[in-house]
Amino acid sequence: MDAVRVALLREVLAGTEWLGATRRFAGVLRGSVVSHGGGLLLVGTPEYEPWHLAAHLVDEAAWSGTPELAPTLVRHDARPSDPAHLSVGPGRLAAARRGETLLVVSPDRPGAPLLEQVHDARRAGATVLSLGPGEGGLAAMAHESLAVPEGTDLDLDTVQHLVSAAAGENAVPTPRGRRRFRDRLSRLADQLTAPPPARW
């Protein structure tokens, strides 16, 4: 989903709670990684890998000039023969420490092994954020969560697009004074004319 489609989606969602909720969550995500200088770990479940969100966060990190937003994608079935950016396994969660942020994305309640890894990361000092079901152990242990319950107007993939776009746009402080609109327009033009990102 490109910047134009995200803008159209935001117009459709105007007046709903989703815009405010995704911006608040993105603000917490951005604030956590920027204040600690990076260290964003992104993990899904064995059945669901948020590789698409990882790619969008890499794009937003580049476009917004906020390299801290670029995540390390932690994969449950990573192999040493995979490309470097796809070869980080669950052992990385055990190494999570204070100052790092762990974003867990799950369409369903995660199983006990992942919950234990997340709990250990939190106990070691990592900030835990969750995107998915609003109930259960993951939401309870997360410092901040954004619930995407089944049967809502939006699915998890669409919410991820809104969160990643908001994380990038919020990274640049809004300038004050008469050039505010021109600066925003210039930034949008830069995003729309940027070369396509490398594929994962």
Side-chain angles (χ1 to χ4, degrees):
M1 187 177 293
D2 58 28
V4 174
R5 289 182 186 161
V6 170
L8 291 173
L9 178 59
R10 285 176 172 166
E11 283 185 32
V12 170
L13 295 173
T16 70
E17 77 279 358
W18 284 110
L19 288 183
T22 55
R23 282 193 166 125
R24 276 189 302 277
F25 185 80
V28 171
L29 169 63
R30 185 194 71 253
S32 179
V33 297
V34 170
S35 66
H36 292 111
L40 175 58
L41 303 174
L42 176 62
V43 67
T45 65
E47 301 78 26
Y48 181 86
E49 287 189 344
W51 62 268
H52 200 72
L53 176 58
H56 280 292
L57 285 172
V58 167
D59 291 345
E60 291 297 336
W63 292 335
S64 67
T66 312
E68 299 90 347
L69 283 174
T72 296
L73 179 62
V74 178
R75 302 177 63 226
H76 294 274
D77 62 351
R79 294 179 293 272
S81 59
D82 291 335
H85 66 287
L86 298 175
S87 64
V88 178
R92 180 61 180 88
L93 298 180
R97 295 290 174 257
R98 182 172 307 282
E100 293 186 304
T101 302
L102 174 58
L103 173 56
V104 185
V105 181
S106 175
D108 304 303
R109 290 185 183 187
L114 178 58
L115 287 178
E116 289 173 17
Q117 291 170 321
V118 171
H119 180 264
D120 290 344
R122 179 182 166 123
R123 198 171 56 205
T127 300
V128 176
L129 308 178
S130 72
L131 185 56
E135 303 173 343
L138 178 60
M141 81 174 71
H143 292 94
E144 186 75 25
S145 64
L146 179 58
V148 188
E150 290 185 23
T152 58
D153 297 335
L154 298 178
D155 62 9
L156 182 60
D157 288 335
T158 304
V159 172
Q160 290 176 69
H161 282 104
L162 291 170
V163 167
S164 62
E169 81 178 1
N170 290 335
V172 178
T174 306
R176 301 193 182 274
R178 299 202 285 163
R179 299 185 58 188
R180 181 176 177 198
F181 175 75
R182 187 183 327 171
D183 290 338
R184 288 189 344 221
L185 186 61
S186 173
R187 183 171 178 273
L188 178 61
D190 289 344
Q191 287 179 348
L192 295 176
T193 58
R199 290 284 171 215
W200 281 65

